[in-house]
Amino acid sequence: MPTKTYVQTTINGEQVEFLCEPRQSLLECLRDILHLTGTKEGCNDGNCGACTVNMDGRIVCSCLVLGVEANGKEIGTIEGVATPKGLHPLQLAFLEGAALQCGICTPGFIVASKALLEQNPRPTEQEIRFWLANNLCRCTGYDKIVRAVMDAANRMEAAKR
């Protein structure tokens, strides 16, 4: 009989406590225990990036991280990207640029792109493509996604002026 482990973490800026089995992935904890279903399950083996979250400033595939490893960490999910003021420029650029179709991969792309723009506010097209190499889209193709990230970078830079 598996025993549950107490986990205390910060998710999208809020302190969160939960119990999970030691074998449960962070993805399972987010979706099944905390009901944060914006993070999607794709391949469940770290190849598609649909479950990408930010963990202490690094993007990770939450299907490859155990829930117990979130203890004491800061986790950022797609639910934390928008603010009460509105959608993040990345979300707006994805919507306006039609950089999504079925939507399974979109949260992972946005979380990964947000991390990129936090580290490099003016990435080149090549840097964006390299950064997003672990995120797969089977519907839309990558040109619209790359253009959306570039558009968001321009919007964010213009907002600073």
Side-chain angles (χ1 to χ4, degrees):
M1 177 179 202
T3 59
K4 295 202 173 195
T5 301
Y6 172 78
V7 176
Q8 185 177 23
T9 186
T10 302
I11 299 179
N12 300 326
E14 293 189 24
Q15 287 281 330
V16 175
E17 301 171 344
F18 62 90
L19 294 173
C20 69
E21 294 177 22
R23 63 163 187 79
Q24 284 185 291
S25 70
L26 177 57
L27 174 64
E28 292 172 316
C29 295
L30 290 170
R31 291 184 58 82
D32 302 337
I33 297 171
L34 300 171
H35 307 293
L36 293 171
T37 57
T39 303
K40 303 300 182 197
E41 180 180 338
C43 64
N44 210 24
D45 63 10
N47 283 309
C48 76
C51 65
T52 301
V53 298
N54 192 317
M55 183 176 208
D56 279 349
R58 295 184 61 198
I59 53 172
V60 297
C61 293
S62 60
C63 69
L64 298 179
V65 176
L66 293 172
V68 295
E69 293 179 278
N71 192 47
K73 307 284 188 191
E74 290 195 25
I75 309 295
T77 70
I78 189 66
E79 287 89 348
V81 173
T83 67
K85 293 179 182 176
L87 295 177
H88 187 279
L90 276 164
Q91 294 170 309
L92 290 171
F94 269 67
L95 284 170
E96 293 172 7
L100 54 100
Q101 204 163 46
C102 82
I104 291 293
C105 67
T106 306
F109 270 107
I110 290 176
V111 169
S113 298
K114 184 174 182 280
L116 169 63
L117 296 181
E118 288 170 354
Q119 291 185 19
N120 180 1
R122 299 186 62 186
T124 65
E125 179 180 340
Q126 184 178 7
E127 289 169 329
I128 294 168
R129 289 183 185 277
F130 184 77
W131 185 272
L132 297 177
N134 193 48
N135 293 79
L136 303 179
C137 173
R138 295 186 174 122
C139 301
T140 305
Y142 299 94
D143 287 335
K144 289 182 178 180
I145 292 169
V146 171
R147 284 196 302 262
V149 176
M150 294 175 87
D151 181 37
N154 290 335
R155 290 176 191 220
M156 293 168 70
E157 183 157 317
K160 290 179 185 175
R161 294 182 209 149

